[in-house]
Amino acid sequence: MNEGINYTLPIIPLRDIVVLPGMLVHLDINREISKLAVRQAMDGDGTVFITAQIDSSVDTPGFHDLFEIGVLAKIRQEVKLKDRVIRVMISTKERAKLLSVTQTKPYLSGDCISIGTDESSLSRVEAEALMRNLRDVYEEYLSENPRASRSGLEKIRETESLSNLIDVITMQVALDFTKRQDILNCVDLERRYELLNEFLLEEVNIYKIREEYRNKLQEEMSRNQKEYFLREQMRVIRSELGDGEDDDIAERFEKQLAELECSDEIRENIHKEIQRLQHISHNSAEYLTAEDYIENLLSLPWDHACEERNDIRHSEQVLEEDHYGLEKVKERILEFLAVRALTAESGTGKSGEKQASSLQGDAPILCLVGPPGT
C-alpha cells in the first residue's frame, strides 16, 4: 500500500478497541454489519479499514460516530464460532484517514486515504537515542508491573524503526482506550514518541506510589501483628503468675475513664496511672494502693461544681444530724465557715467587684487535733 492513495473499502467499526499498524490481532465479530463487511472484503483482496467508534452504544454508526484515524488491514483468516460469532485474524498495515462513509447498509463502506510516517525528520542518531530511551522506560515499566506481559519484549528489542517501536509498545502496555487512540491519531513522529513516553512514565510513577503505600500498609500490619503477639504472650504469662485479673481491672478502669467528664490533661494523667497499674504485681502491696487511687480519681466530679452556700445555721444543723458529740470539732468548723462568709462579704468593694483575699478561692486544711500550727 502506498502513502496518500485513496481507497474505497469495507469498514469494520470496533467498540472500545484500538489497533495500531504492524500488528497481527484476532477480532471476534458478532454485529451483522461487521460480518457482512468481512464477507465483502474476503470476496476481494481482504483489505478493510478498521477504526474505533466514538460512542460504543451506537449499533449502526455513521461518519460522525467514528474516529477519522484508523488503520488499513488485511484479513488473513476467518473462523466461525458458536452463537453466530466469527473470529478473524488480521494484519494491520498503516494509518489511514476516513474521508467519508459512502454506505451504511447492509455494511459500512467508505473512502479513506493512507497516511505514512515521515521518519526523515530525525537523524539516525536522534532516532536511535529516542528508541533506546523508550526501551529503557518500557523495561522499567515491566519491572514495576510484574503482571505486565513480556511476550513482546524480544520483538521490541529487535525493532529498528522508531515508528514501529512506538506502535508495538503501545499495544503491549495496559493503556486505556482513549490514550491508545491519541497515539494512533498522532501523525507527527516526535509528538507520538512524547505521548507514549509520558504515558509510560505516568504508569511507572503510579506503580511506584502503589508499591510505596503497599509497603507502608504491610509494615503497619506487621507491627500490629507483633504487638498483638506480644500482648498475648504477656496475658499468658500473667495468667500463669496469677495476675490475669489485672487486664480485666485495667479494662474496667479504661471504660470508666472513657465515660468520665474531665479535661484532656486529667484524662491523660489517669490513663498513665492505669498503665502503671498493669505493670505492678498483683501480689504487691503497692497494687492495692494504686487501685484505690485510680478508683478515687474516677469517682471525683471533675467538671461538676455546686453553688457555695454560706448559711451557718444550715451547716450547724447538718453537723448535728450527721455527727454525734465532737463539740469542739464542730465548733471549729463553724468558726471557719463564719470567717469565710464574713471575709467574702467584706471583700466586695463599692464597684460591686470582689477584692483579693487570703481566704477567697483557697482550700485550707483544718487541723482538728493537736496544738495550733501542727
Side-chain angles (χ1 to χ4, degrees):
M1 296 181 181
N2 298 316
E3 177 183 354
I5 302 298
N6 286 22
Y7 300 91
T8 299
L9 298 170
I11 300 173
I12 299 179
L14 301 181
R15 287 171 167 166
D16 299 329
I17 299 176
V18 176
V19 292
L20 285 93
M23 306 292 117
L24 185 65
V25 295
H26 292 84
L27 298 176
D28 289 346
I29 297 175
N30 57 9
R31 273 194 292 185
E32 197 62 33
I33 59 170
S34 296
K35 287 190 282 187
L36 292 174
V38 169
R39 197 164 302 150
Q40 179 66 24
M42 294 297 287
D43 289 340
D45 63 354
T47 303
V48 292
F49 176 76
I50 299 178
T51 187
Q53 289 185 205
I54 297 174
D55 184 357
S56 60
S57 64
V58 178
D59 287 330
T60 307
F63 177 77
H64 297 291
D65 299 315
L66 303 172
F67 285 102
E68 289 186 0
I69 304 299
V71 292
L72 297 176
K74 197 156 191 174
I75 300 174
R76 300 295 183 184
Q77 188 180 33
E78 176 187 357
V79 178
K80 292 183 179 180
L81 304 178
K82 61 181 180 179
D83 299 327
R84 302 184 65 185
V85 176
I86 62 172
R87 175 171 295 171
V88 293
M89 181 177 69
I90 62 170
S91 59
T92 58
K93 299 302 181 182
E94 57 186 326
R95 284 170 172 78
K97 181 178 181 180
L98 182 65
L99 301 177
S100 64
V101 173
T102 58
Q103 175 182 313
T104 57
K105 291 182 180 180
Y107 61 88
L108 292 182
S109 179
D111 297 327
C112 57
I113 184 171
S114 59
I115 303 173
T117 300
D118 183 13
E119 299 198 27
S120 62
S121 58
L122 297 173
S123 67
R124 184 184 60 82
V125 175
E126 289 174 330
E128 182 63 27
L130 296 182
M131 290 173 65
R132 290 186 184 183
N133 182 68
L134 203 53
R135 289 191 185 101
D136 290 342
V137 176
Y138 177 69
E139 291 185 8
E140 185 179 3
Y141 164 82
L142 292 179
S143 66
E144 294 293 337
N145 182 12
R147 297 183 179 180
S149 173
R150 286 163 170 76
S151 58
L153 187 57
E154 193 63 31
K155 182 178 181 181
I156 289 171
R157 288 172 177 168
E158 294 175 354
T159 302
E160 298 180 354
S161 165
L162 177 59
S163 177
N164 292 342
L165 180 64
I166 293 172
D167 292 338
V168 171
I169 292 179
T170 301
M171 291 301 294
Q172 293 294 324
V173 177
L175 296 177
D176 60 35
F177 165 79
T178 55
K179 290 181 178 179
R180 280 187 179 171
Q181 186 64 44
D182 287 343
I183 292 177
L184 180 63
N185 290 342
C186 192
V187 178
D188 182 80
L189 184 59
E190 289 187 65
R191 179 55 188 155
R192 199 187 309 165
Y193 162 82
E194 291 172 357
L195 278 176
L196 179 58
N197 196 53
E198 289 173 5
F199 293 155
L200 285 175
L201 290 175
E202 181 181 348
E203 291 295 317
V204 168
N205 289 333
I206 289 172
Y207 282 112
K208 284 183 177 179
I209 293 172
R210 286 180 58 185
E211 184 67 17
E212 180 181 347
Y213 277 98
R214 191 187 69 83
N215 290 337
K216 286 182 180 179
L217 181 61
Q218 186 67 34
E219 290 176 3
E220 184 67 23
M221 291 177 61
S222 299
R223 183 165 58 252
N224 292 339
Q225 289 175 351
K226 181 180 179 181
E227 290 177 357
Y228 173 78
F229 178 72
L230 292 175
R231 287 196 186 98
E232 286 298 307
Q233 282 188 320
M234 291 176 63
R235 186 183 64 80
V236 173
I237 292 172
R238 285 176 177 173
S239 178
E240 293 293 332
L241 294 175
D243 295 341
E245 297 179 0
D246 297 356
D247 291 338
D248 296 337
I249 294 174
E251 185 177 350
R252 175 168 59 86
F253 284 158
E254 289 288 357
K255 288 182 179 179
Q256 292 178 359
L257 178 61
E259 298 172 357
L260 184 65
E261 295 182 10
C262 61
S263 65
D264 292 339
E265 181 181 1
I266 294 173
R267 190 181 305 277
E268 180 63 26
N269 289 331
I270 297 177
H271 179 67
K272 289 180 179 178
E273 292 295 332
I274 296 173
Q275 287 184 319
R276 191 174 74 87
L277 178 68
Q278 292 180 290
H279 295 88
I280 301 175
S281 173
H282 186 71
N283 298 322
S284 172
E286 185 184 2
Y287 183 89
L288 294 176
T289 304
E291 184 180 359
D292 290 342
Y293 178 59
I294 294 172
E295 286 180 345
N296 288 331
L297 291 175
L298 292 172
S299 64
L300 292 175
W302 292 102
D303 284 354
H304 297 278
C306 59
E307 184 178 354
E308 186 174 348
R309 297 178 63 181
N310 293 325
D311 189 344
I312 303 301
R313 291 186 182 277
H314 176 72
S315 300
E316 182 179 6
Q317 182 182 353
V318 172
L319 288 172
E320 292 295 341
E321 291 177 354
D322 294 347
H323 303 283
Y324 176 77
L326 303 174
E327 299 299 331
K328 290 186 177 181
V329 172
K330 290 187 281 188
E331 184 180 352
R332 178 71 185 93
I333 293 173
L334 291 173
E335 286 178 357
F336 170 77
L337 294 176
V339 171
R340 184 180 179 89
L342 290 173
T343 305
E345 291 177 2
S346 63
T348 304
K350 295 180 179 180
S351 62
E353 297 180 355
K354 292 186 177 181
Q355 306 295 325
S357 170
S358 60
L359 293 176
Q360 186 69 22
D362 294 339
I365 299 175
L366 298 180
C367 182
L368 301 175
V369 178
T374 61

